[in-house]
Amino acid sequence: MDTPELKLVTDDDLAAASWIKPRLMGEFGAVTREVPQGYAAYARVCHPADDESGSPTAWSQVAAVTGRQAHPTMQWHALVGSPHRYAAAKYLWPGNDPECGNLPPQLLGPLCNLLTHHTTTPDTCYFGLWEGHGWTPSTAVANLHHYGRDYILFTGPLHAALQLGHRPLPDWFVPQSPNLLWPADRAWYVASEIDFDSTLVGGQPT
């Protein structure tokens, strides 16, 4: 991983995450199952799909192709006319499905730039990386446990979110967004659940 600015959080320092799990509730798929309750507003960032040429495409553009209506609670399989929630490709959309569990850098970067203005602690953030990616360091042990998910917890400045990923080859970097991300002041919280094709954001805590 290209993470020179990120440090592993040890078990002794897990108090920084202790507030999260008691505020998670609801069935799988609920916003507050992934982002703690108590924020005044929640937002959804839909991961782009790829068109036939491999270019990232917003869901609103996909809707224009498939003749569907884009709206805040739209679901990918319905957007492309598929009756199957987890097998939506190649119905009305000729390209590929959005990637689950990974907000690409072209969206993660602007999101981090926005969020840095809405926290008093942009230099102290926490990054949860799902332990099942398969390329995490052998010395990194999952020490953050939520419902059905185990994460390796890092800490560092907000912009270091773009350093997460792995190198299959020395000149080939494959980025991976944090699956969990929040600042020390808890002003907002970002979750990219590994089975979701959208990233969820909570902000303006009550």
Side-chain angles (χ1 to χ4, degrees):
M1 293 190 297
D2 287 6
T3 56
E5 297 180 281
L6 293 180
K7 297 179 181 179
L8 282 171
V9 173
T10 65
D11 289 344
D12 293 338
D13 297 323
L14 283 178
S18 63
W19 65 280
I20 300 171
K21 192 172 182 179
R23 289 169 55 178
L24 297 177
M25 58 184 54
E27 299 297 324
F28 182 78
V31 172
T32 52
R33 177 67 175 249
E34 308 303 329
V35 179
Q37 67 167 355
Y39 288 103
Y42 294 83
R44 177 185 179 209
V45 182
C46 298
H47 301 173
D50 287 341
D51 65 14
E52 288 181 291
S53 67
S55 297
T57 307
W59 288 30
S60 57
Q61 295 173 290
V62 173
V65 173
T66 62
R68 264 49 179 182
Q69 179 68 43
H71 56 87
T73 60
M74 59 186 165
Q75 299 296 312
W76 176 256
H77 70 285
L79 194 65
V80 298
S82 169
H84 307 294
R85 186 180 185 88
Y86 297 109
K90 311 304 181 185
Y91 276 81
L92 299 178
W93 175 245
N96 294 320
D97 292 346
E99 184 177 1
C100 290
N102 190 16
L103 184 65
Q106 66 265 28
L107 295 182
L108 178 61
L111 178 61
C112 288
N113 290 339
L114 175 65
L115 293 176
T116 194
H117 300 293
H118 296 277
T119 173
T120 60
T121 59
D123 293 329
T124 306
C125 292
Y126 294 91
F127 309 80
L129 184 67
W130 180 56
E131 56 86 27
H133 286 299
W135 44 261
T136 53
S138 59
T139 55
V141 178
N143 53 9
L144 179 61
H145 310 287
H146 288 175
Y147 299 105
R149 300 283 185 258
D150 295 328
Y151 301 95
I152 302 164
L153 193 60
F154 299 87
T155 185
L158 177 55
H159 64 79
L162 293 164
Q163 296 173 2
L164 283 170
H166 67 112
R167 289 189 179 276
L169 297 172
D171 59 349
W172 179 18
F173 179 68
V174 179
Q176 169 63 50
S177 66
N179 298 106
L180 308 176
L181 172 60
W182 73 92
D185 66 1
R186 308 178 190 175
W188 43 258
Y189 187 98
V190 180
S192 295
E193 153 57 32
I194 59 170
D195 285 335
F196 286 5
D197 51 24
S198 302
T199 290
L200 302 174
V201 183
Q204 303 175 20
T206 58

